C-alpha cells in the first residue's frame, strides 16, 4: 500500500490514500461538500459546479469531485468566495426551474431545495420567460419533468453503469438539453426506478408515488422485500394505512441503494381490492364469509377428527412465510398432527449442494457481499438480470469497481455477456472449457440456476474443488423465503436444519395424487394452479391473501397477512437472515403464525406449541435448527447474519425431479405478481399478458 | 442497412483508424458521410451506426441532437447556410439572410417544396476574413453581395447546386 497523503481540509489534518478525491476525503473526515452530479460508485461527471472549494495556491476554485488529494494541499470548503460561487451556480440552475415545490413529489427531501435554503440564493437576476416543456410519461413507472431537471447525469449513469441497461441519454444542447428514453417517446427497460431514486430533484417521478403524499406525512418501516429470494431491504412509506412508497431510504442492509421494480413498486398487492379480509367456509357448496371463531373451530374439529382416526394429512407450506411461521407449521404438523407429509415448492437443489460441500475445506456458501468482492465470478445456467436482480447488480458492481473477471456459461445470451471475461454458450458441461482460466484465479464465486441439480450439481462442485482455489457457491432460488422453507424443514425428508426425518412423508405430487388424503392444509401456496387433487373427499384448508385456484377449491379459507404486515425473519438465497418489520395490517387478516397458533390452541395443543410470538419462536429455532444460532443484535438492528455452515452430510435422498424454478422474470412474482397492478401494466405495455 | 461501396469503404477505413475498443469515436464522421449519401439521419441509420460501433441507439441520439450539422429530416439538394455571426453581421450577413428568406419564401431549416433548396442561419463558418460568407453544401461563397446572392439562388433553382 502506498503511503497516505497528508492534507488540510478546513484547518484539520487529514490523511487519505493516494488517488482519493478531495470530496471523499472530506466526507470521511465528517466534512460534507455539497454535490449534485458527484455520486459515489458512479463515473465522474463534473457537470454541476456545486462542489467548488478553495485550494491554496490554485488560481481559482476547484471542483472537489474530480480533484485527487495531494501532499500538503490546503483546502477550504466554506469560505465567502465558495459560498458566492455556489450561490451563483444555484441561480443558474434556477433560471428555468419551475419552482413548483409546493406540488413537487420531492419537496421536503429535495437536494436543490436544501442547497438553495442553505446558500440563500432566493433572488434571481434573470427576468426572461422560463423555458417550459410539458411533462412526459415514459412508462407505467417513469415520468419525466424536464424543467425540473438540473442535468446532473446521475440517472443516465445509474442506468448505464449500475443497471447495465443504458436506457437513458441526454439529448439536445444548452438550454434545450434534456434526458431522453431509449425508444423515442417511451422507455423499454428494467423499470427498476433506480433513476427516479437517484434523481436529486423531482425531475424523475414514479407512477406509484407521484402526487400521493408529502414526504413528511409518511411513516417509514424498514423491512425485507417479499418478492424474490435476494432479500433486499426496503423502506415502506405508509400513509393512512396504505403503502405509498418503497425505497431503501437509508441505503442500509445488504442491498444499499438497490431495488428492482418488485421491491420498489410491487407492494400494491397489499391494497388490491380482491384481498381476502374475512374467513370463508364452504356452506351449501359455496364459499361464504364466516367469523374467525367459526372457521377456526371447524378447522380444529376436522383436524382433531382426522388425527383421532389416524387419517392422512397433507401440509404444503409457503416460500414467502417467515422462518418462525415455517418452523411453527412443521412443528404443529409433525408433533401436533403426527404427520411428516409436509412439503413446499422447491426451486433449487440446495440440499444436494450442502451435502456435496461437506468435507471440502475450500468450499462454502457465498454471501451477497462475497459477490461484490470475489476476484472472479462464474454464472452457470442462470439469467441473473431477469431472475435475480440484486445478485446481478452485485456482480456488475464487482466488475465496475474491482474489475472482477466474470465468466458466463448459459444457453441463452445474458446481460453479463457484455462485460464477461469469457462466455460459453451451452449447458453446465461448458465449465470444462474454462478450467485453465478459472484455475488461475485466486478465488471464485459460482452461481447456478435450478437446472443444475442432483448429479450435475455434484459434478459442478467436484469441478470447483478440482480448481484448487477457494470456491463459494450460490444455489439460486425463487422466493423471499425459499431458503427458509428448506432450513425450517418444510420437506418430508428433512427436519429443521437439514436433519433427516426418520419417516419421510409424502411430497407435494404424492399428496395431490393420494386418493385417500383426508386433509390438505395449504399455507401461502397455490399447488392447484398446476396440479389436480385426486382425493375427492379431502378437506382443504387454505391460508391465503387472494382467492387462488387452490383457495377456490377449499372448504375453509383463512385470510392471511402479507409479509409487509408481519414480524419475524426470512432467509435469503445466500442464507442471510434478516428481520421483517410490520408497519401495518390489512383489516380482517391475521399473520400465518397467529393462524397456526390459533388452530393449535383450538385443538388443545397450545402447551406443545408455545406462544405465537415471533421472538419466542425464533428462540426455539436457535436452539433446534443447526446453523440458526445467530447473533441477535445484528438481525435486530436491521442487518443480516448468514446462517452457519452445516459442515456435514445431509443423510437424506435429494429429490432433483421435484425441483422446478418458476423462472419469474423482472415483472413476475407468482401469486403476488398476479395481484400487482404495476407489474401488470408494464407487461401489458409490452403486449405480454 | 446497405450503403454504396464507396461509403462502406470509408466506414471501413474509419473504423480501422481508431484503436481497438474505441470504435465509437467514428460516430460523428460516420453520421456525416452517411447523411451526405442518404440526405438525412434516419432512425434506421441511428440504429445501424449504433450497432456498428457498439453503442446504444440513445447514445447516437445524444450526439445527433447535439450537433446542428446533423439533420433528421432531408435537406434540399442545395443546402444554403447563411452566416450571421459577428464578422458577417458587421458586413451585411443579416441582410443577406433576410434577402434569402424573402426570395425563397422559406425560413430557418426549411426546404422548398420541390426539394431543390433548403435554408439555414448558421454561426461562424470560419470564413471571417472573407465575410460575409455563405456555404452551399461543402462550397464556400465569399464577399457575398445582394446581387451575388440573387445570382447564386437563381442558379441553384436551376438544379445546379454547384454553379455560381
Ligand atoms: S427505470 Fe431503471 S432501467 Fe429504466 S431507465 Fe430508470 S434506471 Fe434505467
Ligand atoms: S432527471 Fe434527475 S437525475 Fe437525471 S439529469 Fe435530471 S436532475 Fe439529474
Ligand atoms: S431483487 Fe428481489 S428482493 Fe430485491 S427488490 Fe427485487 S424482487 Fe425484491
Ligand atoms: S459535484 Fe463536482 S461538479 Fe458536480
Ligand atoms: S462570422 Fe461569418 S464566417 Fe465567421
Amino acid at each position: 500500500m502506498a503511503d497516505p497523503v497528508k492534507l488540510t481540509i478546513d484547518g484539520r489534518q487529514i490523511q487519505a490514500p493516494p488517488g482519493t478525491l478531495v470530496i471523499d476525503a472530506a466526507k470521511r473526515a465528517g466534512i460534507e461538500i455539497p454535490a449534485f452530479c458527484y455520486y459515489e460508485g458512479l463515473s465522474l461527471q463534473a457537470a454541476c459546479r456545486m462542489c467548488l472549494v478553495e485550494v491554496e495556491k490554485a488560481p481559482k476554485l476547484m471542483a472537489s469531485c474530480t480533484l485527487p488529494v495531494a501532499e500538503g494541499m490546503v483546502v477550504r470548503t466554506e469560505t465567502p468566495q465558495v459560498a458566492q460561487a455556489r450561490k451563483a451556480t444555484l441561480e443558474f440552475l434556477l433560471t428555468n426551474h419551475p419552482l413548483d415545490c409546493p406540488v413537487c413529489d420531492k419537496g421536503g427531501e429535495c437536494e436543490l431545495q436544501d442547497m438553495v435554503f442553505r446558500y440563500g440564493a432566493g433572488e434571481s437576476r434573470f427576468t426572461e420567460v422560463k423555458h417550459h416543456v410539458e411533462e412526459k410519461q415514459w412508462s407505467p413507472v417513469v415520468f419525466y419533468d424536464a424543467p425540473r431537471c438540473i442535468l446532473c447525469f446521475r440517472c443516465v449513469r445509474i442506468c448505464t453503469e449500475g443497471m447495465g441497461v443504458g436506457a437513458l441519454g441526454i439529448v439536445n444542447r444548452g438550454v434545450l438539453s434534456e434526458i431522453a428514453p431509449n425508444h423515442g417517446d417511451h422507455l423499454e427497460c428494467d423499470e427498476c426506478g433506480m433513476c427516479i431514486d437517484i434523481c436529486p430533484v423531482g425531475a424523475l417521478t414514479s407512477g406509484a408515488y407521484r402526487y400521493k403524499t408529502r414526504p413528511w406525512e409518511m411513516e417509514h418501516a424498514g423491512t425485507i422485500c417479499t418478492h424474490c429470494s435476494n432479500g433486499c431491504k426496503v423502506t415502506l412509506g405508509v400513509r393512512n394505512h396504505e403503502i405509498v412508497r418503497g425505497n431503501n431510504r437509508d441505503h442500509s442492509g445488504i442491498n444499499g441503494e438497490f431495488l428492482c421494480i418488485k421491491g420498489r413498486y410491487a407492494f400494491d398487492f397489499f391494497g388490491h381490492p380482491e384481498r381476502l379480509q374475512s374467513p370463508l367456509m364452504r356452506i351449501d357448496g359455496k364459499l361464504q364469509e364466516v367469523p374467525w371463531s367459526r372457521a377456526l373451530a371447524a378447522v380444529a374439529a376436522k383436524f382433531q377428527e382426522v388425527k383421532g382416526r389416524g387419517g392422512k394429512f397433507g401440509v404444503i407450506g409457503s416460500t414467502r412465510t417467515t422462518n418462525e411461521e415455517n418452523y411453527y407449521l412443521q412443528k404443529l404438523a409433525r408433533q401436533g398432527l403426527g404427520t411428516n407429509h409436509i412439503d413446499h415448492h422447491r426451486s433449487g437443489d440446495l440440499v444436494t449442494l450442502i451435502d456435496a460441500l461437506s468435507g471440502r475445506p475450500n468450499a462454502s456458501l457465498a454471501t451477497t457481499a462475497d459477490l461484490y468482492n470475489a476476484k472472479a465470478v462464474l454464472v452457470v445456467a442462470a439469467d441473473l438480470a431477469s431472475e435475480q436482480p440484486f445478485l446481478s447488480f452485485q456482480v456488475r458492481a464487482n466488475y465496475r469497481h474491482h474489475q472482477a473477471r466474470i465468466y458466463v456459461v448459459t444457453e441463452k445470451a445474458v446481460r453479463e455477456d457484455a462485460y464477461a471475461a469469457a462466455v460459453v454458450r451451452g449447458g453446465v458441461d461448458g465449465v470444462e472449457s474454462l478450467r485453465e482460466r478459472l484455475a488461475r484465479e485466486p478465488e471464485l464465486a459460482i452461481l447456478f440456476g435450478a437446472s443444475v441439480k442432483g448429479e450435475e450439481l455434484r459434478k459442478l462442485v467436484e469441478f470447483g474443488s478440482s480448481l484448487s482455489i477457494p470456491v463459494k457457491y450460490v444455489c439460486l432460488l425463487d422466493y423471499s423465503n425459499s431458503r427458509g422453507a428448506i432450513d425450517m424443514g418444510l420437506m418430508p425428508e428433512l427436519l429443521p436444519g437439514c436433519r433427516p426425518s426418520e419417516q419421510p412423508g409424502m411430497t407435494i405430487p404424492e399428496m395431490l395424487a393420494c386418493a385417500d388424503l383426508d386433509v390438505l392444509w395449504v399455507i401461502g401456496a397455490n399447488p392447484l394452479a398446476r396440479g389436480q387433487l385426486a382425493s375427492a373427499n379431502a378437506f382443504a384448508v387454505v391460508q391465503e391473501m387472494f382467492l387462488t385456484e387452490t383457495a377456490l377449491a377449499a372448504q375453509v379459507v383463512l385470510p392471511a397477512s402479507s409479509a409487509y404486515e408481519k414480524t419475524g425473519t426470512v432467509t435469503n438465497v445466500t442464507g442471510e437472515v434478516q428481520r421483517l418489520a410490520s408497519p401495518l395490517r390489512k383489516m380482517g387478516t391475521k399473520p400465518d403464525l397467529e393462524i397456526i397458533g390459533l388452530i393449535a390452541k383450538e385443538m388443545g395443543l397450545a402447551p406443545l406449541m408455545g406462544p405465537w410470538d415471533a421472538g419466542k419462536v425464533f428462540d426455539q429455532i436457535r436452539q433446534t435448527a443447526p446453523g440458526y444460532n445467530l447473533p441477535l443484535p445484528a438481525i435486530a438492528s436491521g442487518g443480516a447474519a448468514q446462517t452457519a455452515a452445516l459442515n456435514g452430510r445431509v443423510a437424506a435422498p435429494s429429490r432433483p425431479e421435484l425441483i422446478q424454478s418458476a423462472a419469474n422474470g423482472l415483472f413476475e412474482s407468482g401469486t403476488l405478481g398476479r395481484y400487482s397492478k404495476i407489474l401488470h401494466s408494464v407487461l401489458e405495455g409490452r403486449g405480454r399478458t | 442497412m446497405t450503403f454504396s461501396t464507396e461509403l462502406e469503404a470509408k466506414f471501413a477505413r474509419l473504423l480501422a483508424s481508431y484503436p481497438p475498443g474505441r470504435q465509437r469515436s467514428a460516430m460523428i464522421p460516420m453520421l456525416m458521410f452517411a447523411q451526405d449519401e442518404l440526405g438525412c439521419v434516419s432512425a434506421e441509420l441511428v440504429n445501424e451506426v449504433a450497432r456498428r460501433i457498439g453503442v446504444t441507439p440513445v447514445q447516437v441520439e445524444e450526439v445527433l441532437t447535439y450537433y446542428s450539422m446533423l439533420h433528421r429530416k432531408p435537406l434540399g439538394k442545395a443546402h444554403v447556410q447563411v452566416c450571421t455571426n459577428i464578422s458577417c453581421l458587421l458586413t451585411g450577413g443579416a441582410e443577406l439572410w433576410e434577402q434569402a428568406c424573402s426570395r425563397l419564401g422559406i425560413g430557418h431549416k426549411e426546404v422548398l417544396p420541390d426539394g431543390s433548396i433548403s435554408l439555414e442561419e448558421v454561426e461562424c463558418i470560419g470564413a471571417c476574413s472573407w465575410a460575409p460568407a455563405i456555404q452551399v453544401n461543402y462550397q464556400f461563397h465569399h464577399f457575398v453581395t445582394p446581387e451575388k446572392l440573387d445570382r447564386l439562388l437563381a442558379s441553384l433553382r436551376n438544379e445546379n447546386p454547384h454553379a455560381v
Side-chain angles (χ1 to χ4, degrees):
Chain A
M1 247 313 237
D3 288 342
V5 175
K6 291 192 232 22
L7 71 160
T8 309
I9 303 182
D10 291 349
R12 289 167 55 186
Q13 310 293 321
I14 285 169
Q15 298 203 351
T20 309
L21 299 167
V22 169
I23 195 170
D24 283 335
K27 187 173 168 193
R28 255 158 245 154
I31 299 167
E32 194 197 346
I33 299 176
F36 288 131
C37 70
Y38 177 73
Y39 196 90
E40 211 171 334
L42 298 182
S43 62
L44 302 180
Q45 192 77 44
C48 75
R49 319 318 284 175
M50 262 318 272
C51 66
L52 293 177
V53 292
E54 238 178 82
V55 179
E56 241 174 45
K57 300 202 183 80
K60 49 182 188 169
L61 300 179
M62 308 280 279
S64 61
C65 71
T66 42
L67 181 69
V69 293
E71 190 64 36
M73 194 180 239
V74 179
V75 180
R76 290 188 197 88
T77 71
E78 287 287 352
T79 65
Q81 202 196 352
V82 165
Q84 180 53 40
R86 290 192 188 140
K87 192 170 165 174
T89 297
L90 290 164
E91 190 180 343
F92 255 118
L93 287 177
L94 294 184
T95 42
N96 283 309
H97 194 88
L99 288 170
D100 54 351
C101 312
V103 293
C104 176
D105 279 350
K106 205 77 178 187
E109 50 182 26
C110 170
E111 296 178 37
L112 180 62
Q113 217 179 31
D114 290 349
M115 283 303 132
V116 174
F117 181 75
R118 180 156 152 191
Y119 291 98
E123 282 165 26
S124 173
R125 284 163 287 178
F126 291 93
T127 54
E128 286 77 6
V129 175
K130 293 199 183 219
H131 173 70
H132 182 72
V133 191
E134 287 303 313
E135 186 185 38
K136 302 177 189 86
Q137 177 174 10
W138 286 339
S139 77
V141 169
V142 188
F143 288 70
Y144 177 62
D145 191 359
R148 289 182 187 157
C149 175
I150 60 170
L151 299 171
C152 67
F153 292 75
R154 279 191 199 174
C155 54
V156 177
R157 284 174 290 155
I158 194 72
C159 187
T160 306
E161 301 168 19
M163 298 305 299
V165 173
L168 298 175
I170 198 150
V171 296
N172 303 332
R173 69 199 304 193
V175 76
L176 300 178
S177 301
E178 59 180 30
I179 304 299
N182 57 0
H183 285 260
D185 61 349
H186 71 281
L187 270 173
E188 281 179 29
C189 68
D190 284 11
E191 310 283 1
C192 61
M194 290 292 281
C195 51
I196 302 171
D197 196 56
I198 207 172
C199 180
V201 297
L204 288 165
T205 53
S206 84
Y209 173 74
R210 60 204 305 274
Y211 301 135
K212 286 243 174 84
T213 181
R214 312 256 65 201
W216 57 84
E217 288 173 331
M218 284 182 287
E219 287 180 56
H220 301 281
T223 190
I224 305 301
C225 171
T226 185
H227 290 283
C228 89
S229 64
N230 293 186
C232 296
K233 193 167 174 189
V234 54
T235 312
L236 299 176
V238 176
R239 179 171 183 249
N240 294 342
H241 310 288
E242 286 294 335
I243 306 173
V244 289
R245 184 167 80 176
N247 60 7
N248 191 15
R249 197 158 173 253
D250 58 4
H251 293 185
S252 68
I254 56 174
N255 50 310
E257 66 195 321
F258 180 82
L259 285 177
C260 80
I261 179 172
K262 289 184 261 190
R264 209 182 285 283
Y265 303 119
F267 48 72
D268 53 350
F269 60 80
F270 169 81
H272 194 283
E274 288 171 38
R275 203 52 212 275
L276 295 173
Q277 288 184 277
S278 163
L280 304 172
M281 256 175 85
R282 194 165 297 281
I283 302 169
D284 303 330
K286 268 176 59 189
L287 283 175
Q288 299 187 18
E289 293 194 0
V290 294
W292 271 98
S293 53
R294 185 167 166 199
L296 287 168
V299 171
K302 183 72 191 182
F303 283 11
Q304 201 66 276
E305 179 248 322
V306 172
K307 181 185 168 186
R309 65 178 158 88
K312 272 188 190 155
F313 286 94
V315 182
I316 299 176
S318 172
T319 46
R320 291 202 223 256
T321 45
T322 66
N323 288 324
E324 290 76 2
E325 291 168 334
N326 295 348
Y327 180 87
Y328 216 52
L329 175 65
Q330 65 82 32
K331 184 171 177 183
L332 181 57
R334 290 192 162 109
Q335 297 172 33
L337 305 179
T339 182
N340 253 329
H341 306 319
I342 182 166
D343 202 358
H344 75 283
H345 181 90
R346 310 175 188 204
S347 57
D349 201 356
L350 180 76
V351 174
T352 297
L353 176 65
I354 291 175
D355 186 48
L357 290 185
S358 77
R360 294 180 196 266
N362 246 348
S364 58
L365 297 180
T367 61
T368 46
D370 290 330
L371 299 182
Y372 177 61
N373 291 315
K375 298 273 182 279
V377 178
L378 168 62
V379 182
V380 183
D383 185 350
L384 297 184
S386 159
E387 294 169 21
Q388 309 281 342
F390 171 50
L391 303 190
S392 166
F393 181 83
Q394 286 295 83
V395 171
R396 202 157 42 244
N398 192 3
Y399 167 76
R400 290 190 296 128
H401 296 155
H402 310 139
Q403 293 78 48
R405 269 88 45 208
I406 314 298
Y407 300 89
V408 176
V409 180
T410 58
E411 300 279 0
K412 292 202 189 106
V414 294
R415 191 173 297 170
E416 284 70 32
D417 291 354
Y419 47 90
V423 176
V424 180
R425 279 288 97 85
V428 53
D429 298 339
V431 297
E432 271 304 330
S433 59
L434 296 172
R435 176 181 288 281
E436 274 181 34
R437 296 190 63 173
L438 294 176
R440 284 201 300 273
E441 295 289 356
E443 58 177 3
L444 185 65
I446 303 181
L447 305 99
F448 61 89
S451 64
V452 184
K453 53 189 178 182
E455 281 316 304
E456 268 202 329
L457 173 50
R458 288 182 194 279
K459 265 170 41 198
L460 181 65
V461 174
E462 198 51 56
F463 171 81
S465 287
S466 71
L467 299 173
S468 305
I469 55 172
V471 182
K472 293 186 175 177
Y473 295 85
V474 181
C475 170
L476 298 173
L477 302 169
D478 281 359
Y479 292 114
S480 58
N481 208 19
S482 287
R483 171 72 196 257
I486 301 169
D487 289 350
M488 292 303 115
L490 294 190
M491 295 173 93
E493 65 272 28
L494 290 176
L495 304 175
C498 287
R499 288 169 297 139
S501 160
E502 306 206 326
Q503 277 182 307
M506 290 191 284
T507 61
I508 293 178
E510 288 160 357
M511 293 178 212
L512 297 186
C514 175
D516 58 345
L517 192 75
D518 294 295
V519 168
L520 181 70
W521 185 14
V522 181
I523 293 90
N526 191 11
L528 299 188
R530 295 171 295 270
Q532 287 270 315
L533 184 58
S535 168
N537 295 322
F539 185 89
V541 178
V542 176
Q543 297 175 206
E544 243 314 341
M545 295 166 60
F546 298 100
L547 269 185
T548 60
E549 286 86 346
T550 307
L552 279 170
Q555 306 303 311
V556 178
V557 182
L558 302 169
S561 307
S562 74
Y564 295 156
E565 300 146 61
K566 290 175 177 176
T567 52
T569 60
V570 286
T571 309
N572 80 347
V573 64
T574 50
E576 290 168 272
V577 180
Q578 302 178 93
R579 191 192 57 165
L580 300 182
S582 60
L584 29 64
R585 172 75 62 82
K586 194 77 185 170
M587 204 173 350
T589 70
K590 289 183 192 297
D592 293 287
L593 188 67
E594 187 180 338
I595 301 177
I596 300 164
L598 287 169
I599 294 174
K601 186 171 157 227
E602 287 279 330
M603 293 180 70
L605 295 170
L608 164 77
M609 296 299 291
W612 55 81
D613 171 276
K616 297 249 161 50
V617 179
F618 194 67
D619 283 342
Q620 293 187 37
I621 295 172
R622 293 181 76 202
Q623 284 155 24
T624 49
Y628 273 76
N629 193 2
L630 299 166
L632 286 180
I635 301 172
S637 59
Q642 195 188 27
T643 55
L646 292 178
N647 288 331
R649 308 275 335 228
V650 181
S654 94
R655 304 286 300 269
E657 75 280 7
L658 294 173
I659 290 163
Q660 176 91 58
S661 164
N664 282 315
L666 271 177
F667 312 120
E668 297 156 319
S669 182
T671 299
L672 291 187
R674 284 161 69 186
Y675 293 93
S676 164
K677 283 202 182 122
I678 196 111
L679 295 183
H680 269 278
S681 52
V682 171
L683 288 173
E684 266 162 27
R686 300 183 187 190
R688 291 218 329 247
T689 39
Chain B
M1 235 182 144
T2 47
F3 304 102
S4 69
T5 36
E6 296 79 37
L7 188 55
E8 284 292 359
K10 265 187 193 165
F11 282 176
R13 265 202 310 282
L14 267 171
L15 290 172
S17 59
Y18 298 100
R22 302 282 172 87
Q23 271 52 45
R24 60 161 59 193
S25 306
M27 188 193 300
I28 294 175
M30 280 176 84
L31 290 171
M32 286 294 286
F33 291 141
Q35 171 174 279
D36 289 344
E37 181 164 311
L38 306 172
C40 71
V41 181
S42 62
E44 198 189 4
L45 178 61
V46 167
N47 290 335
E48 181 67 15
V49 169
R51 194 181 60 77
R52 292 197 185 197
I53 60 178
V55 301
T56 61
V58 76
Q59 286 172 315
V60 178
E61 295 279 342
E62 292 180 324
V63 171
L64 167 61
T65 54
Y66 186 87
Y67 288 106
S68 60
M69 289 161 86
L70 295 170
H71 305 272
R72 276 183 200 278
K73 289 202 214 105
L75 302 169
K77 247 171 129 181
H79 184 50
V80 178
Q81 299 151 75
V82 182
C83 174
T84 57
N85 210 305
I86 192 77
S87 305
C88 296
L89 190 75
L90 290 171
T91 50
E95 289 74 20
L96 291 174
W97 169 246
E98 292 300 328
Q99 182 185 343
C101 288
S102 66
R103 292 285 191 280
L104 295 174
I106 54 176
H108 182 57
K109 289 211 178 180
E110 288 178 356
V111 192
L112 282 183
D114 67 357
S116 57
I117 303 178
S118 53
L119 208 49
E120 184 179 359
E121 183 181 7
V122 295
E123 304 302 334
C124 179
I125 50 178
C128 305
S129 305
W130 309 280
I134 285 177
Q135 188 183 342
V136 180
N137 298 341
Y138 287 108
Q139 290 245 311
F140 282 83
H141 300 267
H142 300 145
F143 302 121
V144 182
T145 60
E147 298 71 39
K148 267 194 184 174
L149 176 59
D150 273 343
R151 281 206 301 278
L152 172 65
L153 293 177
S155 71
L156 293 177
R157 274 199 194 255
N158 293 335
E159 290 183 272
N160 189 358
H162 298 295
V164 180

